[in-house]
Amino acid sequence: MTQFDDRERGEERKFAMDEETAFRVAARRNKLLGQWAAQKMGLTPEETDAYAKAVVQADFEEAGDEDVIRKVLGDLTGAGCEVDEAEVRAALEEKSVEARRQLMSES
């Protein structure tokens, strides 16, 4: 029974590590998306940092990416930027790849 218990504990550790990695990738992706949007809105470096943090926080409103997309799209539109939902979704996907690369290079 010990071998089974060891394998079960190993699977639990792997699951926990996978969940933590997914969380870190999503948070980094959202920060990068916030920086992208801030650049489009012409924010200062200080405003960019604050805005990127606000985008990360927006992801905690509901499951999935819709809360982040809604926030960024609304903010960009409110700032008078010519952008549509497809462009924000494409940027989100691009930033997801970039976030994975950054986190892998840190390991």
Side-chain angles (χ1 to χ4, degrees):
M1 197 73 154
T2 334
Q3 191 175 16
F4 178 74
D5 292 339
D6 289 345
R7 187 176 348 171
E8 185 177 11
R9 279 192 290 277
E11 288 295 320
E12 289 172 357
R13 279 193 300 274
K14 182 184 179 321
F15 178 78
M17 190 179 334
D18 290 348
E19 289 294 305
E20 179 184 344
T21 300
F23 175 80
R24 292 178 65 209
V25 167
R28 176 76 57 101
R29 174 203 68 184
N30 294 341
K31 179 180 177 183
L32 292 169
L33 183 69
Q35 292 170 343
W36 170 82
Q39 180 187 15
K40 286 193 158 299
M41 291 186 279
L43 300 182
T44 67
E46 295 80 22
E47 292 169 329
T48 296
D49 288 342
Y51 184 73
K53 288 176 186 171
V55 173
V56 171
Q57 289 296 317
D59 196 23
F60 298 118
E61 292 176 15
E62 61 187 54
D65 298 331
E66 295 307 311
D67 45 359
V68 172
I69 292 167
R70 191 170 42 251
K71 174 176 183 33
V72 171
L73 183 59
D75 292 344
L76 286 167
T77 303
C81 298
E82 290 292 323
V83 66
D84 62 6
E85 185 177 336
E87 187 177 350
V88 173
R89 287 184 184 278
L92 185 70
E93 185 59 35
E94 177 187 313
K95 299 308 177 189
S96 183
V97 171
E98 187 177 338
R100 283 190 206 309
R101 280 193 198 124
Q102 286 181 4
L103 288 172
M104 286 173 56
S105 69
E106 289 176 6
S107 300

